[in-house]
Amino acid sequence: MIMQNAERPIGIFDSGLGGLSVLRTALRMLPEEWFLYYGDIANAPYGTKTEEQVYTFARAVTGRLMDQGIKALVIACNTATAAAAAQLRAEFPDFIIVGMEPALKLAHDQCPEGRILVLATPVSLASEKYRRLYENYGEHAVSLPCPGLMEFVERGDTDSEELKDYLRNKFAPYLETPLAAVVLGCTHYVFLKKTMQSLLPQNTLVLDGNEGTVRQLGRRLESAGLLLNQAMGTEKYSLSFHIDRNEPEIIARAERLMAIPE
Ligand code: DGL
């Protein structure tokens, strides 16, 4: 079958299951489109590797998705965006590559005077990209690396006591003075939003960049004439993973995460 340009799927990837939180938002905001999701589980976590390693993983996944004929790529991972997006865009200048960054600007716009806590991986927070973001919007922000947190989501755990203990320990030093917002600067953490809200003071905003990323994807597709205005088939997405473990079990876990309401 020969597909017209706009009829081709959109590739979307992460180190594992976290980017499914972006896919979930994309399915709601761009309901006509068709997505190929790839989770690089064999190389996860990205957030505690080096930037060079993350670039190598991201480059391999990009090649793989491009070979499947995608019309655009969403890097549904803050870590891979920080480590690889600039270089990938330089290598593929004519290709639409949409990335992510912790929603610190959004938090700063919504609470210009309030204290903001940015949760993200060590690689994201140590990156040059984040340094620039922090320089512009980090006046009242504290950056909090969370190694080990994505692993809960990978196991399908979004509300256990062990997870709550991890989060309580992270939040404790910052709850003595009022906190205006918590930024979920890793796509995995978006699945933990409700659990985090239950542990934070009631008025704390919990923000992420998923909608902004999907809006940007829509704008880029539209200006390239690649936005579909009617669905081409009934299949909305397909999931595949780089793993040596039991794939049906991972797919079932992925579907359970996707079913958590936004
Ligand atoms: N989901 C990824 C992110 O948005 C990172 C998880 C990992 O450490 O692999 O940063």
Side-chain angles (χ1 to χ4, degrees):
M1 181 174 79
I2 299 175
M3 286 182 283
Q4 297 303 314
N5 270 350
E7 295 170 15
R8 289 178 295 149
I10 296 163
I12 169 164
F13 84 92
D14 179 41
S15 59
L17 304 177
L20 294 168
S21 69
V22 182
L23 175 60
R24 184 180 63 174
T25 304
L27 290 167
R28 169 173 61 77
M29 292 175 66
L30 299 173
E32 326 290 8
E33 301 291 339
W34 167 35
F35 298 88
L36 297 186
Y37 183 89
Y38 189 77
D40 193 14
I41 293 180
N43 292 312
Y46 282 2
T48 48
K49 304 270 168 30
T50 65
E51 279 206 9
E52 290 70 25
Q53 285 174 308
V54 176
Y55 164 75
T56 305
F57 302 145
R59 175 67 184 79
V61 175
T62 301
R64 189 190 165 95
L65 286 168
M66 282 182 170
D67 287 347
Q68 290 178 261
I70 57 170
K71 63 180 176 181
L73 179 72
V74 180
I75 307 176
C77 176
N78 296 261
T79 308
T81 302
Q87 211 168 326
L88 291 173
R89 288 188 184 116
E91 278 173 72
F92 303 103
D94 301 324
F95 204 77
I96 297 175
I97 298 178
V98 174
M100 318 214 33
E101 66 182 15
L104 177 56
K105 179 179 184 309
L106 179 69
H108 178 269
D109 289 350
Q110 295 201 12
C111 338
E113 304 300 331
R115 282 172 69 238
I116 299 166
L117 199 56
V118 182
L119 311 186
T121 68
V123 168
S124 287
L125 295 177
S127 69
E128 176 57 24
K129 187 176 193 311
Y130 183 74
R131 194 192 60 71
R132 286 197 303 270
L133 184 71
Y134 190 85
E135 220 169 73
N136 289 324
Y137 305 104
E139 204 185 335
H140 306 290
V142 177
S143 310
L144 190 59
C146 295
L149 185 51
M150 68 79 84
E151 285 84 343
F152 285 93
V153 178
E154 287 295 302
R155 291 193 292 269
D157 175 359
T158 57
D159 58 4
S160 70
E161 276 313 306
E162 191 192 348
L163 168 66
K164 288 181 187 162
D165 283 344
Y166 177 107
L167 293 170
R168 276 192 203 102
N169 284 333
K170 281 282 168 193
F171 292 149
Y174 307 98
L175 295 182
E176 275 148 32
T177 44
L179 190 60
V182 170
V183 172
L184 307 179
C186 166
T187 52
H188 282 77
Y189 308 167
V190 178
F191 286 120
L192 306 177
K193 186 171 175 175
K194 292 221 160 51
T195 300
M196 289 198 198
Q197 277 167 330
S198 74
L199 301 172
L200 290 165
Q202 226 182 11
N203 296 330
T204 318
L205 287 176
V206 180
L207 301 170
D208 65 71
N210 285 7
E211 281 201 2
T213 300
V214 177
R215 257 196 307 279
Q216 170 70 356
L217 170 65
R219 276 194 295 266
R220 293 291 306 277
L221 289 171
E222 185 161 31
S223 64
L226 290 175
L227 194 65
L228 273 184
N229 38 33
Q230 96 184 49
M232 298 311 299
T234 50
E235 194 188 24
K236 298 277 85 189
Y237 62 89
S238 75
L239 307 178
S240 57
F241 298 96
H242 180 194
I243 31 169
D244 48 18
R245 300 198 299 280
N246 181 350
E247 181 142 12
E249 188 191 311
I250 298 291
I251 302 261
R253 192 176 302 166
E255 297 287 0
R256 278 199 298 277
L257 286 170
M258 297 262 292
I260 298 176
E262 275 183 90

